[in-house]
Amino acid sequence: MIFDKKAETMPRKELEQVQIERLQTTLNRVYRNVAFYKKSFDSHGVNIESIKSREDLPNLPFTTRADLLAAYPYDMFAVPLRDIVRIHSTSGTAGKPLVVGYTKNDLKNWTACTARLLAASGITEHDVVQIAFHYDLFTGGFGFHQGAELIGASVIPASTTLAEKQITIMKDYKTTALLCTPGFALHIAQEMDAMKIHPEQLSLKTGIFGAEPWSNSMRRQIETRLHCTAHDSYGLTEIMGPGVAGECEERAGLHVNEDHFIVEVVDPATGKWVGEDGQGELVFTTITKEGFPLIRYRTGDIASLISEPCSCGRTFTRITRVTGRTDDLIFFDGQKIFPSEIEQILLDVEGTAPHYQIVLSRENGKDIMDVRVEAGESFEIDKLGKLEAMRDTLVERIQQELEISAQVHFVEPRTFERATKDKIRRVIDKRESV
Ligand code: DLL
C-alpha cells in the first residue's frame, strides 16, 4: 500500500523542483541560525543563492560526525530550545553522544516517514504491531511507534524486554508484525526453539528489521524460523532515526523519502560523486527539518543508488542494502560501539594496558564479545585475586557505560604486536558475515 500517493509517486521532475525549493529554504535557515554553517559556508566561499539545482550540491561543504560531536549538545540546533519538543541521542556514553532535537513539525514529518515505510511493508490498521526496538534515547522505538499509530495499527510498545516475554506477547496478543533488529529477531527464533513454540502457533506475517547490517542469508533464516516476510529499514539518528529509507513489497532496494532528504553517494576517499549506481558512502541533506537540519552529512555507511525505476510505482530512488562502514563501528547486541570507547575504559582502569583485541562471535543467536586485554607491564600477573577484581571492574564499566555484556580476559603483556598501534587488528568478527 502506498501511504502518501501524491508524494511517493510524484513525477521525478516535480520532485526535483520540490527538493531544490526545500533545499534553498534549509540553506537559508542554517546560514542564519547555526553558527557552524555560517562559518563553514563563508570559509568555503559558498554563496547559498548560487545553489540552484541538485548539480550545485557538491559546491557545499560536507558535515561530519566530528562536527556534530564538537557541537555537543545543542550548537547544531537551528531553533531555540523552546521550539524543540523531543530530544534523542546516539548511544556512546564513554564518548559524548550526538544529540538531536525535533520541532512539532519535525515530529509530524518523522511520523509520516515511518508510516510510509510501514505501509510499504503491507502494514495496515488491521495489524497488531509489536515494536521491539528500545524506547529511550534511541530513535527506533518512538520513531516507528508514531508511524504505526498514524496508520491505525494496534501498537504494542514491547521495547527490548526479554525474548521469552516477546514470544509470549506475540503468541497471546496475536502479533502480526514484528519490528526489531535482525539480530534480536534471530535471538527470538532461538528462544522459540527452546520454548518449543512453533512459528505456526504465532500470527506473524510481516517483519521490519533494521538499525544494523544484515545479509540476505539472515533474511532467509528469519523468514523460515518466524514465518514472516522480512523487510529492511534504514535510518540514523543524525538524519531523523528510522524513516529515512525502507523496502517496499518488491524488496529490491530501500526507497529514500526523497521529499525530505537528498541522497548522494560519494567516494569515501575523495568525496567525489561515484557516478550512476556506483558504490560509496551515503551522504544525506535534510530538506524539511527545522530543529536539526544537516547539509551533506557523511554517514559512514557504504551502499549504492539504484536509479532504475521500481515496479511498485514509487518514484523515490532506492539504495541497496548497507554493506559496510567507512569506520570501525561495531554492531553488537543491538548497540553501536566504537573500539575507542572500549579503549577509553581500559585507559581509565589502573593496571590495564590500552593494548587489546575485541573478538566477536555468536552462540545460539546471541552476540558474544570477548575483550582480550594486556595487563600493564608493571602489573604482577601472578596476583590472581587482583586480576579478577580488575576484570570485574572492566566488565561492570563496559556494562554501565556501553550497555553491553562483554567478557574480559587478560593476556600476557606484549601479546599483541605493537610496532605501530594501527597494525593491531582491533576487532576480529567471527559472526556470520553480512
Ligand atoms: O539505527 C535508526 C534506526 C532504528 C534505523 C530502527 C532502522 C530501524 P542509529 O542508532 O543512529 O540509528 O544508527 C545508525 O545504524 O548509520 C547504519 O550504520 C546502521 N543502520 C541502520 N539501519 C541499517 C540497516 C538507527 N537497515 C546507523 N542496514 C547507520 C544496515 C543500518 N545498517
Side-chain angles (χ1 to χ4, degrees):
M1 211 264 293
I2 302 185
F3 184 78
D4 184 347
K5 210 158 187 156
K6 186 162 176 288
E8 293 177 76
T9 62
M10 196 184 295
R12 293 283 319 169
K13 267 220 131 22
E14 208 178 302
L15 177 62
E16 274 161 33
Q17 190 54 36
V18 167
Q19 283 188 327
I20 196 70
E21 280 165 19
R22 292 181 174 178
L23 173 65
Q24 278 162 350
T25 309
T26 304
L27 290 175
N28 274 300
R29 176 179 296 133
V30 298
Y31 189 72
R32 266 187 285 116
N33 300 338
V34 184
F36 167 83
Y37 280 115
K38 174 154 188 359
K39 201 165 149 216
S40 165
F41 292 174
D42 286 350
S43 67
H44 286 85
V46 173
N47 170 9
I48 51 177
E49 304 300 325
S50 71
I51 310 294
K52 292 197 160 65
S53 74
R54 275 199 62 152
E55 284 65 52
D56 296 329
L57 262 183
N59 298 333
L60 294 166
F62 290 118
T63 310
T64 64
R65 187 183 159 80
D67 296 329
L68 303 192
L69 285 172
Y72 178 86
Y74 294 146
D75 284 356
M76 280 297 219
F77 285 24
V79 297
L81 216 47
R82 67 168 181 275
D83 293 335
I84 294 288
V85 294
R86 177 85 69 77
I87 291 170
H88 281 283
S89 80
T90 58
S91 52
T93 44
K96 277 182 191 151
L98 306 180
V99 183
V100 300
Y102 304 75
T103 63
K104 279 187 183 156
N105 262 336
D106 293 337
L107 278 194
K108 216 168 92 205
N109 287 332
W110 188 15
T111 304
C113 281
T114 54
R116 287 177 188 177
L117 302 188
L118 292 162
S121 311
I123 292 173
T124 68
E125 73 269 28
H126 299 296
D127 278 287
V128 178
V129 177
Q130 185 164 331
I131 302 183
F133 282 112
H134 276 308
Y135 277 68
D136 60 5
L137 286 165
F138 177 59
T139 52
F142 283 101
F144 275 123
H145 187 106
Q146 303 151 183
E149 280 190 351
L150 183 64
I151 284 183
S154 314
V155 192
I156 308 171
S159 196
T160 45
T161 184
L162 293 178
E164 198 182 331
K165 200 162 164 199
Q166 300 279 356
I167 296 163
T168 308
I169 296 172
M170 281 204 280
K171 189 163 149 285
D172 294 351
Y173 301 3
K174 302 194 173 19
T175 299
T176 58
L178 175 68
L179 274 58
C180 62
T181 61
F184 195 40
L186 276 184
H187 178 57
I188 288 177
Q190 197 72 36
E191 194 62 35
M192 274 167 56
D193 288 348
M195 291 165 73
K196 302 213 176 342
I197 291 187
H198 192 270
E200 268 170 17
Q201 292 171 261
L202 305 181
S203 313
L204 217 53
K205 284 187 320 207
T206 312
I208 297 187
F209 306 110
E212 64 188 19
W214 53 310
S215 58
N216 269 330
S217 101
M218 242 170 127
R219 181 185 330 241
R220 278 192 297 275
Q221 273 192 55
I222 294 174
E223 295 195 324
T224 318
R225 299 179 68 181
L226 293 181
H227 283 199
C228 69
T229 311
H231 295 81
D232 191 8
S233 218
Y234 168 85
L236 62 164
T237 314
E238 300 92 302
I239 295 303
M240 166 175 271
V244 176
E247 286 181 334
C248 63
E249 53 275 26
E250 300 295 328
R251 298 190 298 155
L254 294 81
H255 288 279
V256 175
N257 273 317
E258 278 192 292
D259 53 341
H260 294 282
F261 315 104
I262 299 179
V263 59
E264 301 170 80
V265 181
V266 303
D267 180 328
T270 62
K272 299 259 183 293
W273 181 52
V274 289
E276 197 168 315
D277 299 351
Q279 195 183 60
E281 181 177 357
L282 294 175
V283 171
F284 283 98
T285 298
T286 70
I287 50 172
T288 53
K289 277 174 72 186
E290 296 173 342
F292 196 82
L294 288 183
I295 307 300
R296 304 195 80 211
Y297 181 66
R298 296 189 68 150
T299 61
D301 292 320
I302 303 287
S304 325
L305 290 188
I306 306 172
S307 48
E308 195 191 313
C310 183
S311 46
C312 72
R314 288 176 184 80
T315 48
F316 290 164
T317 199
R318 287 168 290 163
I319 52 172
T320 59
R321 272 166 179 282
V322 170
T323 53
R325 294 273 312 168
T326 56
D327 56 21
D328 51 8
L329 182 67
I330 299 171
F331 294 89
F332 180 83
D333 200 14
Q335 302 283 5
K336 289 151 187 130
I337 299 135
F338 283 103
S340 56
E341 296 180 278
I342 302 263
E343 185 170 323
Q344 188 57 49
I345 294 175
L346 298 179
L347 281 168
D348 282 357
V349 174
E350 212 183 322
T352 62
H355 304 296
Y356 64 97
Q357 199 162 50
I358 299 168
V359 183
L360 303 166
S361 55
R362 189 170 282 143
E363 242 171 59
N364 297 332
K366 190 100 185 99
D367 281 346
I368 308 210
M369 180 184 290
D370 185 10
V371 181
R372 298 182 182 163
V373 56
E374 290 179 14
E377 299 258 5
S378 58
F379 193 79
E380 292 159 61
I381 202 111
D382 53 322
K383 287 195 176 156
L384 209 60
K386 212 160 173 205
L387 264 189
E388 270 172 20
M390 219 154 73
R391 193 187 53 214
D392 292 349
T393 310
L394 286 172
V395 168
E396 205 179 298
R397 287 201 51 178
I398 293 173
Q399 173 72 54
Q400 270 172 6
E401 295 181 30
L402 306 177
E403 292 175 26
I404 56 170
S405 303
Q407 302 167 1
V408 173
H409 287 105
F410 279 101
V411 297
E412 294 283 337
R414 296 187 167 274
T415 299
F416 303 121
E417 163 222 342
R418 68 173 91 130
T420 58
K421 191 164 164 268
D422 292 338
K423 274 195 188 151
I424 300 174
R425 233 177 111 201
R426 286 278 173 231
V427 184
I428 299 181
D429 197 342
K430 298 179 176 167
R431 299 173 297 182
E432 180 194 7
S433 63
V434 290

